[in-house]
Amino acid sequence: MALPLRGESPSAPERDAMRWVCLLFPRLALEGALRRRPDPEAPFALIDGPVQRQCIRAANRAAREQGVKPGQALGFAEALFNAPEHVQVNAPLSKAPGHAHFNAPDASPDRGSRSGSSQRLETALFDVDSVERWRRRLATWAYGFSAQVSLHYPHALVFEVASSLDLLGPWPRLEARLRAELTALGFSHRLVIAPNPAAARVLVNVHDGLAVDDTGLESALATLRLDRAGLASIDADRDILQTLNRSGFQRLGELFALPRNALARRFGGGLMRHLAELRGEWPLALDYHRPTPRFSRTFEFDQPVHAIAGLAFPLKRLLQELGVFLMGQDAGVERFRLTFELEDGPPQTVEIGLLAVQRDPDTLLELTRAHLERVRLAGPVTTLTLFAPQLAAYAPIRRELLEGPARQAQAWAALHQRLVARLGAPVLKTLVEHREHRPEKAVLNGAGPRARDASAGPPRPGWLASVPQRCDGDVVQLLAGPERIESGWWDGDDIRRDYYLAQWADGRQAWVWCEPERQGWYLHGWFG
């Protein structure tokens, strides 16, 4: 019996059952390395082995299309990119009288290697530690979907999601979200959901997208070949898998059909425990992943970077990882630090401060780029480190169905943040209204803008001149007024003016005044 699909509500027993997702990452080492490449589509391979006999461990599609394969000697793989254009290196050898040559009647520039291409095979050493680092980072990402995430199985993650389905939606929707986010991160994967982690791990070897519950679990397991059922991981004195094959067993279902006592006497308790774990009869003790409360990532450059523009790609990658980390923690950041290790000289540090808690990678990238426009590098950069020492509680922005004051406030907050990032906090000054009749004293530097109630009095211009200017010949027509403003007698800076709404010859509207019983107009502000 499959899990409820198309959004049906599961019954009470199904809702209480455990549901374990297993994600298998067959190309984690290669794809983790490609995330650090400026051009992931360029030919690239991971190499392994001693220096004298290095061979290809994994290669991306561009390298495989040129004939690079796992197990090849590094020298041969590099030669594929230097072979003459008319030679097809994958063609069979044929001997002619007196000499040997490559017989390649079907050779074309699209097959084999091309001498005219500017591409060459880029390589990097295979690093086991980097694979584990990427697994832990993906576990932090999965923590956003479940509090029970385990790294128990190599090359895979398992996590329980039954308790999250009410919040995240039915399984088809959650599956689509998991796949979409992993694809955006650049990781190929296989995915299975089953009632227990052991069953999910072995089923993902042969299935992708399988969803099975308790009722259909044993039938799904029964079809597995023994070499795909995880028997090689059993701790035993002898090779159980080889013994079973010699005895004529090939499928798990054949073992399920045998009497348990006879199977235990013949093969021991290790096999019985493994079969019980697959059926969910023996609970599996797992260590659960707990993300660290701070974020730190480093990007090392192959060649020193001399300009801020050269930091765009690594910065995007680091902020993507920060966004994934924050999503898993259900948190955001208000401040983080960029540290540039320089080729010559002490490290250079840039503090990125935000006006509101953020976690969207695109927003963080836009604001960081704006901050960096005001930064000048003190020297060539060899290493870039992003460090967020403290996380902050994150509340998603409430979206309004219709346009209104809330939507306008959101637009102002975003604009304010971009201006501060681009110009700097000291340059951008906010204004607060002050209860004062004199216009030049009615606005003060403050902590933030406050909307003026239009019904409180006559309209006021959005742009107020710092010093009133004579404009006798510019006033074409008076549209409104006069409005008498007489104040300030108590502090020695008293005024007595009649204000008007005036129109210029080009249609602009201005706020002008004149002193009672005197000639001469003064421009004091402009209306938008």
Side-chain angles (χ1 to χ4, degrees):
M1 179 178 177
L3 288 174
L5 300 179
R6 305 183 186 279
E8 295 99 327
S9 299
S11 62
E14 289 174 340
R15 189 181 295 114
D16 296 336
M18 303 285 279
R19 293 287 177 257
W20 288 86
V21 173
C22 180
L23 284 170
L24 180 66
F25 302 99
R27 298 166 62 84
L28 185 58
L30 176 65
E31 290 165 346
L34 286 174
R35 281 184 56 83
R36 297 302 182 99
R37 308 295 303 176
D39 183 9
E41 301 299 325
F44 177 77
L46 291 178
I47 57 177
D48 198 7
V51 177
Q52 299 83 359
R53 299 182 59 184
Q54 288 180 331
C55 61
I56 302 298
R57 179 70 178 258
N60 69 348
R61 183 176 62 179
R64 294 196 304 272
E65 288 176 350
Q66 297 288 352
V68 178
K69 300 177 182 178
Q72 282 179 343
L74 175 60
F76 181 80
E78 291 176 334
L80 295 177
F81 287 80
N82 299 321
E85 184 174 357
H86 64 278
V87 172
Q88 182 182 353
V89 296
N90 292 326
L93 283 172
S94 64
K95 285 191 176 182
H99 66 282
H101 65 279
F102 285 106
N103 183 17
D106 296 327
S108 67
D110 292 332
R111 302 183 62 184
S113 298
R114 308 167 212 175
S115 61
S117 174
S118 61
Q119 289 184 320
R120 64 187 183 91
L121 180 64
E122 299 287 344
T123 61
L125 288 174
F126 172 76
D127 183 7
V128 177
D129 293 337
S130 71
V131 176
E132 289 307 303
R133 285 195 298 271
W134 279 114
R135 276 216 309 153
R136 288 193 295 270
R137 293 173 187 179
L138 288 168
T140 300
W141 161 80
Y143 194 74
F145 301 93
S146 170
Q148 301 180 61
V149 182
S150 177
L151 298 165
H152 181 77
Y153 297 104
H155 309 293
L157 296 177
V158 288
F159 52 98
E160 201 278 329
V161 296
S163 56
S164 303
L165 292 178
D166 289 339
L167 175 64
L168 302 175
W171 169 243
R173 184 190 305 169
L174 178 56
E175 179 189 8
R177 180 175 170 182
L178 292 172
R179 292 188 184 276
E181 293 190 11
L182 286 171
T183 300
L185 291 173
F187 292 103
S188 58
H189 57 278
R190 300 172 66 87
L191 181 153
V192 159
I193 183 170
N196 66 77
R201 177 61 187 89
V202 298
L203 289 172
V204 81
N205 290 330
V206 294
H207 297 287
D208 184 21
L210 177 67
V212 62
D213 65 0
D214 296 276
T215 306
L217 177 61
E218 187 153 337
S219 60
L221 292 171
T223 61
L224 286 178
R225 294 203 323 262
L226 295 183
D227 59 345
R228 293 298 191 93
L231 300 182
S233 63
I234 298 175
D235 186 13
D237 295 333
R238 60 185 181 276
D239 189 347
I240 292 180
L241 181 59
Q242 185 177 6
T243 304
L244 288 171
N245 287 332
R246 288 176 177 175
S247 302
F249 297 106
Q250 302 201 0
R251 305 274 176 183
L252 267 183
E254 298 169 359
L255 300 184
F256 292 157
L258 292 177
R260 298 195 181 193
N261 291 337
L263 197 61
R265 286 195 302 270
R266 179 69 177 85
F267 296 101
L271 176 62
M272 301 307 299
R273 176 172 176 172
H274 183 70
L275 296 180
E277 288 174 350
L278 294 179
R279 287 166 153 171
E281 300 169 349
W282 187 294
L284 187 62
L286 299 176
D287 290 329
Y288 295 123
H289 173 76
R290 291 294 178 265
T292 59
R294 59 182 60 189
F295 178 89
S296 180
R297 295 287 186 274
T298 299
F299 193 102
E300 296 182 1
F301 297 97
D302 295 334
Q303 308 235 342
V305 175
H306 295 77
I308 289 290
L311 303 175
F313 168 76
L315 195 58
K316 180 179 180 180
R317 288 300 193 196
L318 293 178
L319 290 172
Q320 267 187 336
E321 293 183 34
L322 176 60
V324 170
F325 175 83
L326 295 173
M327 185 71 70
Q329 296 275 38
D330 193 22
V333 290
E334 288 182 301
R335 180 173 297 276
F336 57 91
R337 182 186 311 139
L338 298 176
T339 302
F340 308 117
E341 294 288 342
L342 304 181
E343 189 175 36
D344 299 313
Q348 183 177 356
T349 301
V350 178
E351 295 285 345
I352 307 294
L354 309 174
L355 297 182
V357 179
Q358 301 283 352
R359 76 178 181 195
D360 176 61
D362 294 335
T363 302
L364 291 172
L365 179 61
E366 178 187 1
L367 298 176
T368 303
R369 281 179 169 173
H371 273 280
L372 292 180
E373 287 181 359
R374 298 181 282 113
V375 173
R376 183 170 183 176
L377 294 178
V381 179
T382 59
T383 301
L384 170 61
T385 299
L386 191 154
F387 178 55
Q390 188 174 4
L391 307 185
Y394 178 79
I397 298 175
R398 186 182 64 184
R399 302 294 181 183
E400 297 289 336
L401 179 62
L402 302 175
E403 295 287 347
R407 179 69 59 86
Q408 296 173 5
Q410 293 170 12
W412 159 251
L415 174 61
H416 191 194
Q417 176 69 85
R418 287 196 296 269
L419 290 174
V420 169
R422 187 174 297 275
L423 303 176
V427 176
L428 187 66
K429 296 181 180 180
T430 55
L431 302 176
V432 174
E433 283 192 327
H434 178 59
R435 291 189 176 277
E436 169 63 59
H437 292 289
R438 289 169 291 186
E440 56 269 27
K441 295 183 180 293
V443 179
L444 305 174
N445 291 340
R450 296 177 188 170
R452 183 177 183 275
D453 187 358
S455 63
R460 292 290 184 262
W463 181 4
L464 198 66
S466 57
V467 178
Q469 302 173 2
R470 289 296 293 264
C471 57
D472 295 334
D474 296 319
V475 177
V476 174
Q477 182 182 2
L478 297 178
L479 303 179
E483 175 192 354
R484 173 68 59 87
I485 295 180
E486 186 172 356
S487 180
W489 55 267
W490 57 87
D491 60 6
D493 190 14
D494 55 321
I495 64 170
R496 188 166 179 264
R497 302 170 183 168
D498 289 334
Y499 279 87
Y500 295 83
L501 173 63
Q503 182 172 322
W504 255 232
D506 55 8
R508 290 182 295 170
Q509 294 184 358
W511 203 39
V512 300
W513 60 266
C514 66
E515 295 182 350
E517 301 175 357
R518 292 191 181 182
Q519 298 295 326
W521 294 102
Y522 290 85
L523 171 66
H524 207 159
W526 295 100
F527 289 91

